[in-house]
Every structure is written in structure tokens, then in C-alpha cells.
Amino acid sequence: MKQFLLLASLLALYSAATLSPQATDAFTLTGTVTDENGETLIGVTVVVAGTATGTVTNENGTYTIEVSEDDATLLFSYIGYTTQRVAVEGRSIIDV
């Protein structure tokens, strides 16, 4: 009887997990990071706040990152500069 209850409980949990609404689809966000003089910055770290998702700007100062929520926040950090927090707000291009 205990085995039956355990199996039934596991089946119920599995069913609830597979039938629950899924998170919104991830989308690609791009942009360019420049300094106060308009010069592109290479190697700026770009991270989705609260996650392990991140990237760095390339030799052109551009980045591409996958974001899973429209209301996510990006953190831009670079040695010698203050970290910038930028709300995604549904945009697909964010230049900083």
C-alpha cells in the first residue's frame, strides 16, 4: 500500500510539473557599449541579473545575450567604470 501511495504521489507531482505554464520563450538581445566619448568598449561584462547568463562585448563593443523575461535587468560592468543596471523592458536592442 505504501508503495502505491508513493507511486501515486510521484505521478501527481510529475503531472503537475508537466502541465504547469512554461516560462516565456527566450529572446536574443543585442547592443553596443561605448564610453562617454563614444568609443566602443571591448570586454565589458554583460549579465542578466539574478542568473548565471552572461557574455562580454567583442572587438566592436557589441554583445549578444539570451534573455528569458521581458522584465529582466542587465548588469554592465567594466574595470574603472560604475556598474550600470538597465531594465530590458521588452526591448531587443540596448546600447549603453
Side-chain angles (χ1 to χ4, degrees):
M1 185 67 170
K2 288 181 183 181
Q3 292 173 337
F4 175 77
L5 289 175
L6 178 60
L7 182 61
S9 296
L10 289 174
L11 183 59
L13 286 173
Y14 175 76
S15 297
T18 57
L19 294 176
S20 64
Q22 299 297 313
T24 58
D25 292 330
F27 61 96
T28 302
L29 196 142
T30 62
T32 303
V33 180
T34 56
D35 66 12
E36 60 277 0
N37 298 317
E39 299 293 322
T40 56
L41 295 175
I42 301 167
V44 175
T45 302
V46 184
V47 176
V48 179
T51 74
T53 302
T55 189
V56 294
T57 57
N58 65 18
E59 66 276 358
N60 298 316
T62 61
Y63 68 92
T64 301
I65 193 167
E66 290 293 314
V67 179
S68 60
E69 298 179 12
D70 287 344
D71 63 348
T73 298
L74 297 183
L75 304 175
F76 295 84
S77 59
Y78 192 68
I79 296 174
Y81 288 82
T82 303
T83 298
Q84 299 290 311
R85 298 179 64 87
V86 179
V88 173
E89 299 175 338
R91 296 178 283 178
S92 61
I93 300 173
I94 296 179
D95 296 330
V96 178

